[in-house]
């Protein structure tokens, strides 16, 4: 929906990812060629192995951020990732802590294309191997204090600035419900096919 076309934003997700090798595993992707925004993890065999990667399209080329040292991703372990974009500033958080920032950002090019979780348009293989939970999209750039206060907690319902919130708590079926109140409901894979599978999350989240 239009509420997901953003220039100021915060993306959040819990993920447990299998090593994608030389490729990247996308958690959130809105549009081809990285589109309005893409949050991903690079494989151990990639140039920037075990790194978090945020990319969005510009009028010419792409904006890419933010390398953290040491590389923060441990494949097979749960990790919470958050990226906040506002004006010329990008900030990357891992497990509620600021790990990298960039003061040279440029605003993304907005689009009305579909948003995907665990899939990157144009990449082969396109699908993330692993588990996603508690994916949130905000139309504001949260501060470190905001992220630290809620990254490991569920949210009770509609919250100012929250434009998408997927808990993946449905008992079955092909629907993925948006708990933000914005109506950005999704479909699991191609519907009720069992691919991708629903599994019990073990992410360290407090109800």
């Amino acid at each position: 929906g239009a509420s997901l076309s953003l220039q100021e934003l915060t993306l959040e997700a819990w993920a447990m990812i299998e090593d994608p090798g030389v490729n990247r595993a996308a958690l959130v992707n809105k549009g081809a060629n990285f589109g309005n925004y893409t949050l991903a993890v690079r494989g151990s065999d990639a140039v920037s192995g075990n790194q978090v990667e945020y990319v969005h399209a510009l009028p010419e080329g792409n904006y890419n951020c933010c390398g953290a040292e040491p590389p923060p991703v441990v494949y097979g372990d749960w990790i919470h990732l958050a990226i906040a974009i506002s004006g010329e500033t990008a900030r990357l958080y891992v497990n509620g802590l600021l790990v990298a920032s960039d003061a040279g950002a440029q605003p993304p090019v907005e689009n009305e294309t579909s948003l995907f979780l665990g899939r990157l348009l144009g990449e082969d293989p396109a699908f993330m191997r692993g588990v996603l939970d508690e994916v949130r999209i905000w139309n504001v750039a949260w501060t470190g204090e905001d992220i630290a206060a809620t990254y490991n907690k569920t949210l009770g319902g509609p919250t100012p600035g929250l434009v998408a919130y997927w808990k993946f708590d449905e008992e079955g079926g092909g629907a993925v419900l948006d708990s933000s109140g914005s109506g950005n409901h999704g479909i699991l894979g191609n519907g009720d096919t069992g691919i991708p599978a629903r599994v019990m999350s073990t992410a360290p989240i407090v109800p």
Side-chain angles (χ1 to χ4, degrees), residues 44-123:
S44 62
D45 294 337
V47 174
S48 301
N50 299 74
Q51 282 284 6
V52 183
E53 180 180 51
Y54 171 80
V55 190
H56 65 231
L58 301 172
E60 295 184 8
N62 294 318
Y63 169 74
N64 187 297
C65 176
C66 294
E69 293 297 336
V73 179
V74 178
Y75 302 108
D77 287 357
W78 281 102
I79 188 172
H80 180 271
L81 303 176
I83 185 82
I85 305 293
S86 178
E88 296 182 353
T89 302
R91 300 186 305 276
L92 173 66
Y93 300 86
V94 173
N95 296 332
L97 299 175
L98 178 67
V99 297
S101 63
D102 179 34
Q106 300 177 55
V109 174
E110 298 183 60
N111 64 48
E112 297 288 336
T113 61
S114 297
L115 181 142
F116 293 91
L117 304 178
R119 178 184 180 186
L120 180 59
L121 290 178
E123 193 87 351

Side-chain angles (χ1 to χ4, degrees), residues 152-199:
N152 62 346
K153 300 178 178 66
T154 58
L155 303 180
T159 303
L162 186 64
V163 294
Y165 181 21
W166 298 287
K167 298 182 179 182
F168 304 103
D169 287 343
E170 302 82 16
E171 293 184 0
V176 178
L177 301 180
D178 173 20
S179 298
S180 74
S182 300
N184 290 307
H185 307 302
I187 298 173
L188 189 66
N190 291 321
D192 190 10
T193 64
I195 303 174
R198 294 186 182 275
V199 298

